[in-house]
Amino acid sequence: EIARNMETRMAAVEARLAALEGGKPGTPAAAAAAGGAAAAPFVKAFDELVAEFFAPVEQGAKVCGPDVEKSVAAFKEALAAQRDMLVVASSSRQPFDVNLQKVLKPTSDLMGKVDTLKDRRSKQFNHLAMLAEGVQCLGWVCVEKTPISFLSDTMPGSEMYGNKVVMEFKNTDDAAQADFAKAFKQFLLELQKYVKAHHTTGLAWNPNGGTGYAGSAGPPPPPAPPQG
């Protein structure tokens, strides 16, 4: 469901914004952008968010078993992809009608990866479902004007499964698993604070930035007149 929801949002974005040339993480253009804009305040704040609040999630996963560790690793990959996208936004003007799909796709794909790791056969299903629901929060970048409301609406799904983990493991010898769920909830809350502080009305593009994507200098040209 997470992957389908994200695909729906991505399709809506694609109708307005199409492929960012060279923006995919790992390409030379992305590396150049990262080198030139990594110090942007909201990129630095994102780094601090991950370092301070996702690191405890990674550490906590180690006591929850390999299924959870694998899902958390995929979540971390999604965060890295989102950071690459933020670097591009920090150095680029907001495009007209084209040019965002490719830079969003790596995050979307990795969100789907976390979702596919939600295995009902796993003894840690509630942990995996908590992460799978929570990764949908990274879809805030697709939401114009109301990303805070999007996060408020999306987080409870993850919290529901997190509460199940807490109830199962609190006051037991495995209470560290309850702490893991609490740490993840705190990360999502801090993500919401981050978005509120830096992207209140949507992803913050740089109005004085470059236009390293095709068609970004203005609206697309009108259609050619009919032949004959």
Side-chain angles (χ1 to χ4, degrees):
E1 181 180 355
I2 290 173
R4 288 195 299 270
N5 288 345
M6 187 59 178
E7 287 171 4
T8 300
R9 289 188 175 277
M10 292 300 297
V13 170
E14 189 174 5
R16 309 186 315 269
L17 307 157
L20 172 62
E21 293 191 345
K24 187 175 181 179
T27 64
F42 66 73
V43 176
K44 182 178 179 181
F46 189 80
D47 289 342
E48 292 170 351
L49 165 72
V50 173
E52 184 173 356
F53 294 103
F54 197 76
V57 176
E58 292 182 279
Q59 186 66 30
K62 295 178 181 179
V63 303
C64 298
D67 290 349
V68 177
E69 287 189 87
K70 186 175 181 180
S71 185
V72 167
F75 201 115
K76 183 67 175 291
E77 290 182 71
L79 291 173
Q82 183 148 104
R83 183 194 186 278
D84 287 344
M85 179 207 59
L86 294 173
V87 169
V88 171
S90 72
S91 61
S92 306
R93 302 177 195 171
Q94 185 169 3
F96 289 90
D97 299 331
V98 289
N99 303 327
L100 191 57
Q101 171 71 10
K102 190 178 288 185
V103 78
L104 286 169
K105 188 175 186 299
T107 303
S108 175
D109 288 348
L110 288 163
M111 289 170 66
K113 181 179 178 179
V114 176
D115 188 45
T116 63
L117 293 173
K118 184 179 63 177
D119 186 353
R120 288 190 174 275
R121 299 168 296 179
S122 173
K123 293 180 179 180
Q124 280 75 39
F125 171 74
N126 287 329
H127 303 61
L128 301 177
M130 176 189 73
L131 293 163
E133 292 290 332
V135 80
Q136 191 174 357
C137 290
L138 300 188
W140 68 266
V141 294
C142 296
V143 182
E144 295 182 355
K145 299 183 180 179
T146 59
I148 310 303
S149 296
F150 166 78
L151 287 167
S152 295
D153 292 341
T154 305
M155 289 164 57
S158 178
E159 185 177 2
M160 178 185 71
Y161 287 104
N163 287 341
K164 291 182 179 182
V165 175
V166 172
M167 293 300 295
E168 180 179 357
F169 291 101
K170 71 175 183 178
N171 302 323
T172 71
D173 292 339
D174 288 329
Q177 298 201 42
D179 293 337
F180 164 76
K182 293 175 183 177
F184 185 70
K185 177 181 178 179
Q186 188 61 42
F187 167 73
L188 294 183
L189 290 170
E190 296 298 328
L191 174 64
Q192 186 178 43
K193 291 179 184 178
Y194 163 80
V195 174
K196 184 176 182 178
H198 298 280
H199 309 277
T200 308
T201 57
L203 178 61
W205 294 85
N206 182 350
N208 298 315
T211 55
Y213 33 74
S216 61
Q227 295 290 328

